[in-house]
Amino acid sequence: MTEPLEKRLEKAMAELQAAQEAVARTERELRSASFSVLSSDRAVRATSGPQGELTGIEFLENKYRDMSPQELAASVLEAASAARLKMNRHVMKAMAPFTEPSSNVPELKGFELDWERVFGPEVLRDDEDTPRGPATSAWRDALGDEGED
Protein backbone atom coordinates (compact mmCIF):
# COMPACT_ATOMS: atom_id res chain seq x y z
CA MET A 1 0.00 0.00 0.00
CA THR A 2 1.38 3.42 -0.91
CA GLU A 3 1.91 6.10 1.64
CA PRO A 4 -0.62 8.96 1.74
CA LEU A 5 0.44 12.11 -0.11
CA GLU A 6 0.40 14.19 3.08
CA LYS A 7 2.82 11.81 4.79
CA ARG A 8 5.18 11.80 1.76
CA LEU A 9 5.05 15.60 1.60
CA GLU A 10 5.80 15.82 5.32
CA LYS A 11 8.84 13.53 4.88
CA ALA A 12 10.05 15.53 1.88
CA MET A 13 9.74 18.82 3.79
CA ALA A 14 11.63 17.38 6.79
CA GLU A 15 14.39 16.08 4.53
CA LEU A 16 14.58 19.40 2.69
CA GLN A 17 14.93 21.26 5.98
CA ALA A 18 17.65 18.86 7.14
CA ALA A 19 19.45 19.30 3.81
CA GLN A 20 19.26 23.09 4.08
CA GLU A 21 20.75 22.95 7.59
CA ALA A 22 23.50 20.60 6.39
CA VAL A 23 24.31 22.91 3.46
CA ALA A 24 24.55 25.89 5.84
CA ARG A 25 26.91 23.93 8.14
CA THR A 26 29.02 22.88 5.16
CA GLU A 27 29.20 26.45 3.87
CA ARG A 28 30.36 27.69 7.29
CA GLU A 29 33.03 24.99 7.42
CA LEU A 30 34.23 25.69 3.89
CA ARG A 31 34.47 29.46 4.53
CA SER A 32 37.15 28.80 7.15
CA ALA A 33 39.01 26.00 5.35
CA SER A 34 42.55 26.32 4.05
CA PHE A 35 45.25 23.97 2.82
CA SER A 36 49.02 24.33 2.72
CA VAL A 37 51.34 22.36 0.45
CA LEU A 38 55.13 22.17 0.19
CA SER A 39 56.78 22.30 -3.20
CA SER A 40 58.58 19.08 -4.15
CA ASP A 41 61.95 20.75 -3.55
CA ARG A 42 60.72 21.82 -0.09
CA ALA A 43 61.67 25.42 -0.76
CA VAL A 44 58.16 26.92 -0.73
CA ARG A 45 54.93 26.41 1.21
CA ALA A 46 51.77 27.82 -0.38
CA THR A 47 48.40 28.16 1.33
CA SER A 48 45.07 28.22 -0.48
CA GLY A 49 41.95 29.77 1.02
CA PRO A 50 38.32 28.70 0.84
CA GLN A 51 37.75 29.84 -2.73
CA GLY A 52 41.03 28.43 -4.01
CA GLU A 53 42.74 31.81 -3.70
CA LEU A 54 46.38 32.03 -2.68
CA THR A 55 46.46 33.26 0.93
CA GLY A 56 50.07 32.67 1.87
CA ILE A 57 53.56 31.94 0.59
CA GLU A 58 56.49 30.95 2.76
CA PHE A 59 60.08 30.61 1.58
CA LEU A 60 61.61 27.88 3.70
CA GLU A 61 65.12 27.63 5.11
CA ASN A 62 66.49 30.36 2.81
CA LYS A 63 66.59 27.85 -0.05
CA TYR A 64 65.38 30.58 -2.38
CA ARG A 65 68.79 32.26 -2.11
CA ASP A 66 70.41 29.46 -4.10
CA MET A 67 67.65 29.25 -6.72
CA SER A 68 67.38 30.95 -10.07
CA PRO A 69 64.31 33.16 -10.56
CA GLN A 70 62.83 30.49 -12.83
CA GLU A 71 63.36 27.74 -10.24
CA LEU A 72 61.79 29.85 -7.51
CA ALA A 73 58.84 30.77 -9.72
CA ALA A 74 58.34 27.10 -10.59
CA SER A 75 58.39 26.13 -6.90
CA VAL A 76 55.85 28.83 -6.03
CA LEU A 77 53.53 27.86 -8.87
CA GLU A 78 53.81 24.15 -8.09
CA ALA A 79 52.96 24.60 -4.41
CA ALA A 80 50.17 27.11 -5.12
CA SER A 81 48.61 24.86 -7.73
CA ALA A 82 48.77 21.82 -5.43
CA ALA A 83 47.21 23.77 -2.53
CA ARG A 84 44.38 24.99 -4.76
CA LEU A 85 43.81 21.45 -6.04
CA LYS A 86 43.66 20.15 -2.47
CA MET A 87 41.04 22.79 -1.61
CA ASN A 88 39.00 21.97 -4.72
CA ARG A 89 38.97 18.29 -3.81
CA HIS A 90 37.93 19.19 -0.25
CA VAL A 91 34.98 21.17 -1.62
CA MET A 92 33.99 18.23 -3.84
CA LYS A 93 34.09 15.84 -0.88
CA ALA A 94 32.13 18.22 1.36
CA MET A 95 29.43 18.78 -1.27
CA ALA A 96 29.14 15.13 -2.38
CA PRO A 97 26.31 14.22 0.03
CA PHE A 98 24.11 16.92 -1.51
CA THR A 99 24.50 15.51 -5.00
CA GLU A 100 23.14 12.08 -4.00
CA PRO A 101 19.49 11.12 -4.34
CA SER A 102 17.42 10.81 -1.16
CA SER A 103 16.98 7.30 0.18
CA ASN A 104 13.88 8.32 2.17
CA VAL A 105 12.16 10.46 -0.44
CA PRO A 106 12.57 9.06 -3.97
CA GLU A 107 11.23 12.29 -5.47
CA LEU A 108 14.37 14.15 -4.26
CA LYS A 109 16.84 13.09 -6.92
CA GLY A 110 19.88 15.10 -5.84
CA PHE A 111 21.72 17.14 -8.44
CA GLU A 112 24.59 16.63 -10.80
CA LEU A 113 27.67 18.81 -10.82
CA ASP A 114 30.29 18.83 -13.53
CA TRP A 115 33.31 19.13 -11.23
CA GLU A 116 35.69 19.15 -14.19
CA ARG A 117 33.90 22.17 -15.59
CA VAL A 118 33.90 23.92 -12.20
CA PHE A 119 37.51 23.23 -11.16
CA GLY A 120 39.28 21.91 -14.28
CA PRO A 121 40.25 18.39 -15.31
CA GLU A 122 43.03 17.94 -12.74
CA VAL A 123 40.51 17.79 -9.89
CA LEU A 124 39.23 14.40 -11.11
CA ARG A 125 42.64 12.79 -11.54
CA ASP A 126 43.97 10.45 -8.89
CA ASP A 127 46.84 11.85 -6.83
CA GLU A 128 49.09 9.22 -8.41
CA ASP A 129 48.20 10.59 -11.85
CA THR A 130 49.37 14.08 -10.90
CA PRO A 131 53.15 14.14 -11.33
CA ARG A 132 55.14 16.21 -8.87
CA GLY A 133 58.80 16.74 -8.51
CA PRO A 134 61.55 18.70 -10.21
CA ALA A 135 61.86 16.41 -13.22
CA THR A 136 58.16 16.15 -13.99
CA SER A 137 56.62 19.43 -12.87
CA ALA A 138 54.54 21.00 -15.62
CA TRP A 139 55.35 24.43 -14.19
CA ARG A 140 59.07 23.85 -14.54
CA ASP A 141 58.61 22.65 -18.11
CA ALA A 142 56.45 25.67 -18.96
CA LEU A 143 58.97 28.11 -17.56
CA GLY A 144 61.90 26.40 -19.27
CA ASP A 145 65.03 28.45 -19.60
CA GLU A 146 63.33 31.68 -20.62
CA GLY A 147 64.90 34.76 -19.21
CA GLU A 148 68.19 33.17 -18.17
CA ASP A 149 71.34 34.91 -19.32
Side-chain angles (χ1 to χ4, degrees):
M1 189 161 127
T2 61
E3 210 172 11
L5 181 60
E6 281 183 18
K7 190 70 168 170
R8 287 179 32 212
L9 187 56
E10 188 179 304
K11 276 185 176 178
M13 290 303 291
E15 185 149 338
L16 179 60
Q17 183 176 357
Q20 287 173 327
E21 290 168 2
V23 166
R25 277 192 310 275
T26 301
E27 285 178 347
R28 283 191 302 275
E29 184 272 326
L30 289 175
R31 275 195 293 267
S32 63
S34 69
F35 286 94
S36 295
V37 175
L38 286 175
S39 60
S40 58
D41 59 12
R42 304 177 106 27
V44 176
R45 177 182 295 120
T47 303
S48 177
Q51 294 180 332
E53 74 279 16
L54 187 61
T55 60
I57 291 284
E58 293 177 70
F59 300 103
L60 306 172
E61 300 176 14
N62 291 322
K63 290 181 180 183
Y64 69 92
R65 293 178 187 263
D66 297 325
M67 299 172 82
S68 71
Q70 291 78 17
E71 290 171 325
L72 180 57
S75 291
V76 168
L77 291 172
E78 175 193 346
S81 178
R84 181 182 51 81
L85 181 59
K86 211 170 187 180
M87 177 57 71
N88 292 348
R89 288 180 174 161
H90 179 69
V91 169
M92 284 176 54
K93 186 176 180 181
M95 297 303 288
F98 308 114
T99 65
E100 300 296 321
S102 168
S103 57
N104 297 330
V105 183
E107 293 83 4
L108 298 177
K109 303 286 185 201
F111 61 93
E112 222 175 282
L113 276 171
D114 184 350
W115 293 114
E116 183 175 353
R117 191 167 171 211
V118 173
F119 293 128
E122 68 276 359
V123 77
L124 299 177
R125 291 188 196 124
D126 291 335
D127 286 331
E128 297 82 39
D129 294 343
T130 307
R132 287 195 64 204
T136 57
S137 171
W139 290 114
R140 294 181 194 287
D141 293 344
L143 288 171
D145 292 331
E146 293 177 14
E148 288 188 344
D149 291 318

